[in-house]
Amino acid sequence: MSFQIPCPAEPGIPLSEVDTPALLLDLDAFESNLRRMDESLAGRNLRVRPHAKSHKCPEIALRQMAHGAIGVCCQKVTEAEAMVAGGIPDVMVSNQVVGARKIERLVTLAQRARVSVLADDRNNVAELDAAAARKGIKLNVLIEVDVGANRCGVSPGEPARALAAAIATSPHLHFRGIHAYQGAAQHVRSADERRALIGRAIQMVRETVALLGESGIECEIITGAGTGTYPLEAGSGVYNEIQPGSYIFMDADYAKNVDEDGKPVHTFSHSLFIWASVMSHVKPGRAIVDAGLKALSVDSGMPLVAESGAEYLGASDEHGVLRVADALQFPPGRKLRLIPGHCDPTVNLYDWIVGYRNDTVEAVWPISARGALY
Amino acid sequence: MSFQIPCPAEPGIPLSEVDTPALLLDLDAFESNLRRMDESLAGRNLRVRPHAKSHKCPEIALRQMAHGAIGVCCQKVTEAEAMVAGGIPDVMVSNQVVGARKIERLVTLAQRARVSVLADDRNNVAELDAAAARKGIKLNVLIEVDVGANRCGVSPGEPARALAAAIATSPHLHFRGIHAYQGAAQHVRSADERRALIGRAIQMVRETVALLGESGIECEIITGAGTGTYPLEAGSGVYNEIQPGSYIFMDADYAKNVDEDGKPVHTFSHSLFIWASVMSHVKPGRAIVDAGLKALSVDSGMPLVAESGAEYLGASDEHGVLRVADALQFPPGRKLRLIPGHCDPTVNLYDWIVGYRNDTVEAVWPISARGALY
């Protein structure tokens, strides 16, 4: 029963020999994205804590830290455990941690790494405090404030102040600040709409920080922002930490955001691909590839085909149907690159990411937090 | 870097203590589904080879074999490897296996288990023959015939005969028969339409079998059928093997198929659930659960909520939004069961399946072929 999923490639082999479907990382594009993030923040006094939920890969997180990141964000305690195991010393679980098993893991992890977590509920704060007390630690906690995403978080103003006060007066918790992520704005296509939504979020955060200050509660960290909006938060003078994730990869959906002139807003490049093979006999106008619903997430639409002459029409469990201009160009065994519609849930389907440069495999990294659901 | 995803439960603990999100198997419903399949085929002279792509779990496959299954189908070579490692002696890869790495794994596996595979392309047949020759084995091959799904497979009639002849005359291949799966009919809602589609498929298979017979090529195995249509193939007098998969679990989508009277066609019960927790503070009319796109596949629609008073509206990466009649009934920490819209890609997100009975965990089985993409 000790079956292990095999690795699709070894360093040094040509890309053409990598087994399919595989998750590919174009290392030139990836490294260029790391540099472009640095350049876009030049001169700002701002901490960057990239979101590791996008890549779930400590090797990528270490490269982000080499570019100045102070640590990573994670969405799950087990994701944070995987990052700490992979050498990341500072992890913010940018999510509520609810339930006895999860809280126990969280405070255990906090004994051996710098860990912070969000809260939006009084009872949960009490549970975190009790668990931290049992370990004899002081746990770092931020309040999550709902600034328009209408998902988790307390409302700005008095509800935020009351929760912050509860944390600040808990003997085993250390109140660190405010998490205000406007997730609903990240994929809004129009620059004006994104600016308006983030403008309102910034105003809510500013007022809440002021209100907490009146109660003597200092916000050391004010964090939020994703790849779709981070220049706005970074320039706000309010946020002092940002947490973009997708910029390293870019996906087909993010690439649709436009600027004031209707041009693509991002200078980031697609670096993440699914390597797929045509697997069935030649038919007029179509080709079947071996990457379906178990190899890519279609929640944000079908993947794009990076090579010309083909369009991905639909996915079943293990198959993808391409419309092709010339079926003879797509015989069985032909390999091609797909650009995922939505990177994060696609990465979560793979155990390995294959880094390549100039059509040669350079590195194969484990996606250690793949399936880290708890 | 040796991080392992932890197990969400241990046998003997109450369901309420199982960590979330987790994949739950209601063992009473699962065992009832196994029995109902037996009953629905009573008196038929038919082999059952359930599809393991649904569960990817050798422990489940062993229980299907205890109910008379002759082996399993798999979609991937690595899925087949996981099944053989878990004690399943007979595996049909009901798919094309294309590419040197995959073919090498296939013939290696065929040295230690009874393995068969499909083909729909002459060049692929030559590659399979060459690989089998290198191992000194005779590989079992069936032709895939396209009987209306319009995906993989050769056309019925002469193209099928020509490919079968190529296999039958390959020195290291053993021609076994025809695979004719009408996948497009499985989720057609109306009984009349399903009957018409499968009727046409049966006729195509019958004619092709006759044509091969005229060339002296015997079809020992004629296989196909899924949970949505298997009574039709089973009663055809043409198919002698069926390969249903989803019947053990049932998903929200299959449950929509109706019979001639417009009633739900299946007597199978939902046995597969996602165990999720409410994770955020109480809000009017909504609750946020910890099962999003990384915990369930939404390609066939949102999951249903098994408990009353809530509806799953939408998923983001790690969150699900429920509309609830009374938010006070869904405080943080409340756990509930979701019925996946589509079982197969949902199961593929989990490392473990938690079997329970009477609200107590009875077994935790590894989903050994989770992520077996190659």
PDB file of all heavy atoms in Angstrom, chain A residues 332-351:
ATOM      1  N   PRO A 332      -1.157  11.614 -32.335  1.00  0.00           N
ATOM      2  CA  PRO A 332      -0.904  11.050 -31.006  1.00  0.00           C
ATOM      3  C   PRO A 332       0.568  11.189 -30.640  1.00  0.00           C
ATOM      4  O   PRO A 332       1.452  10.943 -31.473  1.00  0.00           O
ATOM      5  CB  PRO A 332      -1.294   9.573 -31.174  1.00  0.00           C
ATOM      6  CG  PRO A 332      -2.289   9.562 -32.280  1.00  0.00           C
ATOM      7  CD  PRO A 332      -1.843  10.653 -33.225  1.00  0.00           C
ATOM      8  N   GLY A 333       0.817  11.619 -29.422  1.00  0.00           N
ATOM      9  CA  GLY A 333       2.183  11.814 -28.949  1.00  0.00           C
ATOM     10  C   GLY A 333       2.644  13.253 -29.017  1.00  0.00           C
ATOM     11  O   GLY A 333       3.579  13.632 -28.319  1.00  0.00           O
ATOM     12  N   ARG A 334       1.996  14.081 -29.856  1.00  0.00           N
ATOM     13  CA  ARG A 334       2.347  15.510 -29.900  1.00  0.00           C
ATOM     14  C   ARG A 334       2.088  16.115 -28.526  1.00  0.00           C
ATOM     15  O   ARG A 334       1.020  15.939 -27.952  1.00  0.00           O
ATOM     16  CB  ARG A 334       1.480  16.212 -30.973  1.00  0.00           C
ATOM     17  CG  ARG A 334       1.387  17.736 -30.861  1.00  0.00           C
ATOM     18  CD  ARG A 334       2.514  18.468 -31.544  1.00  0.00           C
ATOM     19  NE  ARG A 334       2.564  19.865 -31.161  1.00  0.00           N
ATOM     20  CZ  ARG A 334       2.045  20.879 -31.866  1.00  0.00           C
ATOM     21  NH1 ARG A 334       1.423  20.652 -33.002  1.00  0.00           N
ATOM     22  NH2 ARG A 334       2.166  22.139 -31.433  1.00  0.00           N
ATOM     23  N   LYS A 335       3.094  16.843 -28.018  1.00  0.00           N
ATOM     24  CA  LYS A 335       2.930  17.497 -26.712  1.00  0.00           C
ATOM     25  C   LYS A 335       2.745  18.987 -26.894  1.00  0.00           C
ATOM     26  O   LYS A 335       3.291  19.585 -27.837  1.00  0.00           O
ATOM     27  CB  LYS A 335       4.140  17.200 -25.808  1.00  0.00           C
ATOM     28  CG  LYS A 335       4.212  15.724 -25.420  1.00  0.00           C
ATOM     29  CD  LYS A 335       5.404  15.386 -24.540  1.00  0.00           C
ATOM     30  CE  LYS A 335       5.393  13.898 -24.204  1.00  0.00           C
ATOM     31  NZ  LYS A 335       6.546  13.484 -23.394  1.00  0.00           N
ATOM     32  N   LEU A 336       1.962  19.602 -26.003  1.00  0.00           N
ATOM     33  CA  LEU A 336       1.706  21.037 -26.095  1.00  0.00           C
ATOM     34  C   LEU A 336       1.460  21.608 -24.701  1.00  0.00           C
ATOM     35  O   LEU A 336       1.223  20.868 -23.745  1.00  0.00           O
ATOM     36  CB  LEU A 336       0.539  21.320 -27.038  1.00  0.00           C
ATOM     37  CG  LEU A 336      -0.722  20.445 -26.899  1.00  0.00           C
ATOM     38  CD1 LEU A 336      -1.586  20.963 -25.791  1.00  0.00           C
ATOM     39  CD2 LEU A 336      -1.497  20.464 -28.216  1.00  0.00           C
ATOM     40  N   ARG A 337       1.531  22.951 -24.622  1.00  0.00           N
ATOM     41  CA  ARG A 337       1.387  23.635 -23.336  1.00  0.00           C
ATOM     42  C   ARG A 337       0.009  24.279 -23.238  1.00  0.00           C
ATOM     43  O   ARG A 337      -0.436  24.973 -24.169  1.00  0.00           O
ATOM     44  CB  ARG A 337       2.464  24.718 -23.178  1.00  0.00           C
ATOM     45  CG  ARG A 337       3.895  24.176 -23.056  1.00  0.00           C
ATOM     46  CD  ARG A 337       4.912  25.308 -23.023  1.00  0.00           C
ATOM     47  NE  ARG A 337       4.713  26.195 -24.172  1.00  0.00           N
ATOM     48  CZ  ARG A 337       5.071  27.461 -24.213  1.00  0.00           C
ATOM     49  NH1 ARG A 337       5.675  28.021 -23.168  1.00  0.00           N
ATOM     50  NH2 ARG A 337       4.852  28.184 -25.282  1.00  0.00           N
ATOM     51  N   LEU A 338      -0.656  24.085 -22.102  1.00  0.00           N
ATOM     52  CA  LEU A 338      -1.930  24.748 -21.819  1.00  0.00           C
ATOM     53  C   LEU A 338      -1.699  25.793 -20.733  1.00  0.00           C
ATOM     54  O   LEU A 338      -0.928  25.557 -19.794  1.00  0.00           O
ATOM     55  CB  LEU A 338      -2.955  23.726 -21.320  1.00  0.00           C
ATOM     56  CG  LEU A 338      -3.185  22.498 -22.206  1.00  0.00           C
ATOM     57  CD1 LEU A 338      -4.120  21.509 -21.499  1.00  0.00           C
ATOM     58  CD2 LEU A 338      -3.761  22.914 -23.557  1.00  0.00           C
ATOM     59  N   ILE A 339      -2.358  26.941 -20.862  1.00  0.00           N
ATOM     60  CA  ILE A 339      -2.302  27.981 -19.825  1.00  0.00           C
ATOM     61  C   ILE A 339      -3.550  27.831 -18.967  1.00  0.00           C
ATOM     62  O   ILE A 339      -4.663  27.990 -19.462  1.00  0.00           O
ATOM     63  CB  ILE A 339      -2.274  29.391 -20.449  1.00  0.00           C
ATOM     64  CG1 ILE A 339      -1.051  29.521 -21.373  1.00  0.00           C
ATOM     65  CG2 ILE A 339      -2.271  30.464 -19.360  1.00  0.00           C
ATOM     66  CD1 ILE A 339      -1.071  30.803 -22.212  1.00  0.00           C
ATOM     67  N   PRO A 340      -3.396  27.502 -17.677  1.00  0.00           N
ATOM     68  CA  PRO A 340      -4.575  27.218 -16.849  1.00  0.00           C
ATOM     69  C   PRO A 340      -5.484  28.438 -16.726  1.00  0.00           C
ATOM     70  O   PRO A 340      -5.007  29.580 -16.628  1.00  0.00           O
ATOM     71  CB  PRO A 340      -3.987  26.863 -15.480  1.00  0.00           C
ATOM     72  CG  PRO A 340      -2.548  26.601 -15.699  1.00  0.00           C
ATOM     73  CD  PRO A 340      -2.136  27.364 -16.924  1.00  0.00           C
ATOM     74  N   GLY A 341      -6.787  28.192 -16.703  1.00  0.00           N
ATOM     75  CA  GLY A 341      -7.746  29.263 -16.453  1.00  0.00           C
ATOM     76  C   GLY A 341      -7.579  29.845 -15.059  1.00  0.00           C
ATOM     77  O   GLY A 341      -7.734  31.046 -14.850  1.00  0.00           O
ATOM     78  N   HIS A 342      -7.245  29.022 -14.094  1.00  0.00           N
ATOM     79  CA  HIS A 342      -7.137  29.432 -12.687  1.00  0.00           C
ATOM     80  C   HIS A 342      -5.985  28.633 -12.079  1.00  0.00           C
ATOM     81  O   HIS A 342      -6.077  27.419 -11.916  1.00  0.00           O
ATOM     82  CB  HIS A 342      -8.469  29.132 -11.994  1.00  0.00           C
ATOM     83  CG  HIS A 342      -8.564  29.682 -10.595  1.00  0.00           C
ATOM     84  ND1 HIS A 342      -9.705  29.566  -9.840  1.00  0.00           N
ATOM     85  CD2 HIS A 342      -7.681  30.362  -9.832  1.00  0.00           C
ATOM     86  CE1 HIS A 342      -9.509  30.135  -8.655  1.00  0.00           C
ATOM     87  NE2 HIS A 342      -8.293  30.613  -8.622  1.00  0.00           N
ATOM     88  N   CYS A 343      -4.900  29.343 -11.753  1.00  0.00           N
ATOM     89  CA  CYS A 343      -3.686  28.650 -11.308  1.00  0.00           C
ATOM     90  C   CYS A 343      -3.853  27.889 -10.001  1.00  0.00           C
ATOM     91  O   CYS A 343      -3.449  26.728  -9.891  1.00  0.00           O
ATOM     92  CB  CYS A 343      -2.543  29.654 -11.133  1.00  0.00           C
ATOM     93  SG  CYS A 343      -1.834  30.186 -12.701  1.00  0.00           S
ATOM     94  N   ASP A 344      -4.406  28.546  -8.959  1.00  0.00           N
ATOM     95  CA  ASP A 344      -4.297  27.985  -7.613  1.00  0.00           C
ATOM     96  C   ASP A 344      -4.884  26.582  -7.496  1.00  0.00           C
ATOM     97  O   ASP A 344      -4.200  25.659  -7.039  1.00  0.00           O
ATOM     98  CB  ASP A 344      -4.921  28.926  -6.582  1.00  0.00           C
ATOM     99  CG  ASP A 344      -4.171  30.242  -6.459  1.00  0.00           C
ATOM    100  OD1 ASP A 344      -3.377  30.566  -7.362  1.00  0.00           O
ATOM    101  OD2 ASP A 344      -4.386  30.952  -5.469  1.00  0.00           O
ATOM    102  N   PRO A 345      -6.158  26.366  -7.885  1.00  0.00           N
ATOM    103  CA  PRO A 345      -6.675  24.994  -7.764  1.00  0.00           C
ATOM    104  C   PRO A 345      -6.051  24.027  -8.766  1.00  0.00           C
ATOM    105  O   PRO A 345      -6.101  22.812  -8.551  1.00  0.00           O
ATOM    106  CB  PRO A 345      -8.183  25.141  -7.999  1.00  0.00           C
ATOM    107  CG  PRO A 345      -8.378  26.467  -8.606  1.00  0.00           C
ATOM    108  CD  PRO A 345      -7.195  27.322  -8.273  1.00  0.00           C
ATOM    109  N   THR A 346      -5.441  24.541  -9.826  1.00  0.00           N
ATOM    110  CA  THR A 346      -4.740  23.659 -10.767  1.00  0.00           C
ATOM    111  C   THR A 346      -3.443  23.147 -10.150  1.00  0.00           C
ATOM    112  O   THR A 346      -3.160  21.938 -10.177  1.00  0.00           O
ATOM    113  CB  THR A 346      -4.462  24.401 -12.088  1.00  0.00           C
ATOM    114  OG1 THR A 346      -5.709  24.744 -12.698  1.00  0.00           O
ATOM    115  CG2 THR A 346      -3.651  23.543 -13.045  1.00  0.00           C
ATOM    116  N   VAL A 347      -2.651  24.051  -9.569  1.00  0.00           N
ATOM    117  CA  VAL A 347      -1.398  23.628  -8.915  1.00  0.00           C
ATOM    118  C   VAL A 347      -1.680  22.552  -7.866  1.00  0.00           C
ATOM    119  O   VAL A 347      -0.922  21.584  -7.722  1.00  0.00           O
ATOM    120  CB  VAL A 347      -0.706  24.847  -8.266  1.00  0.00           C
ATOM    121  CG1 VAL A 347       0.454  24.414  -7.371  1.00  0.00           C
ATOM    122  CG2 VAL A 347      -0.226  25.816  -9.343  1.00  0.00           C
ATOM    123  N   ASN A 348      -2.808  22.691  -7.180  1.00  0.00           N
ATOM    124  CA  ASN A 348      -3.155  21.766  -6.091  1.00  0.00           C
ATOM    125  C   ASN A 348      -3.416  20.340  -6.574  1.00  0.00           C
ATOM    126  O   ASN A 348      -3.598  19.435  -5.764  1.00  0.00           O
ATOM    127  CB  ASN A 348      -4.381  22.310  -5.344  1.00  0.00           C
ATOM    128  CG  ASN A 348      -4.690  21.546  -4.078  1.00  0.00           C
ATOM    129  OD1 ASN A 348      -3.797  21.304  -3.266  1.00  0.00           O
ATOM    130  ND2 ASN A 348      -5.937  21.142  -3.908  1.00  0.00           N
ATOM    131  N   LEU A 349      -3.458  20.124  -7.878  1.00  0.00           N
ATOM    132  CA  LEU A 349      -3.677  18.781  -8.427  1.00  0.00           C
ATOM    133  C   LEU A 349      -2.366  18.015  -8.649  1.00  0.00           C
ATOM    134  O   LEU A 349      -2.394  16.837  -8.995  1.00  0.00           O
ATOM    135  CB  LEU A 349      -4.428  18.886  -9.755  1.00  0.00           C
ATOM    136  CG  LEU A 349      -5.833  19.491  -9.649  1.00  0.00           C
ATOM    137  CD1 LEU A 349      -6.385  19.801 -11.036  1.00  0.00           C
ATOM    138  CD2 LEU A 349      -6.761  18.550  -8.899  1.00  0.00           C
ATOM    139  N   TYR A 350      -1.226  18.671  -8.440  1.00  0.00           N
ATOM    140  CA  TYR A 350       0.065  18.078  -8.812  1.00  0.00           C
ATOM    141  C   TYR A 350       0.982  17.893  -7.610  1.00  0.00           C
ATOM    142  O   TYR A 350       1.025  18.732  -6.718  1.00  0.00           O
ATOM    143  CB  TYR A 350       0.777  18.976  -9.838  1.00  0.00           C
ATOM    144  CG  TYR A 350       0.072  18.973 -11.184  1.00  0.00           C
ATOM    145  CD1 TYR A 350      -1.000  19.816 -11.433  1.00  0.00           C
ATOM    146  CD2 TYR A 350       0.456  18.079 -12.173  1.00  0.00           C
ATOM    147  CE1 TYR A 350      -1.679  19.789 -12.654  1.00  0.00           C
ATOM    148  CE2 TYR A 350      -0.201  18.045 -13.388  1.00  0.00           C
ATOM    149  CZ  TYR A 350      -1.264  18.905 -13.623  1.00  0.00           C
ATOM    150  OH  TYR A 350      -1.921  18.856 -14.826  1.00  0.00           O
ATOM    151  N   ASP A 351       1.767  16.827  -7.660  1.00  0.00           N
ATOM    152  CA  ASP A 351       2.774  16.571  -6.623  1.00  0.00           C
ATOM    153  C   ASP A 351       4.112  17.220  -6.940  1.00  0.00           C
ATOM    154  O   ASP A 351       4.950  17.370  -6.044  1.00  0.00           O
ATOM    155  CB  ASP A 351       2.972  15.062  -6.460  1.00  0.00           C
ATOM    156  CG  ASP A 351       1.762  14.407  -5.807  1.00  0.00           C
ATOM    157  OD1 ASP A 351       0.750  14.221  -6.502  1.00  0.00           O
ATOM    158  OD2 ASP A 351       1.828  14.121  -4.605  1.00  0.00           O
TER     159      ASP A 351
END
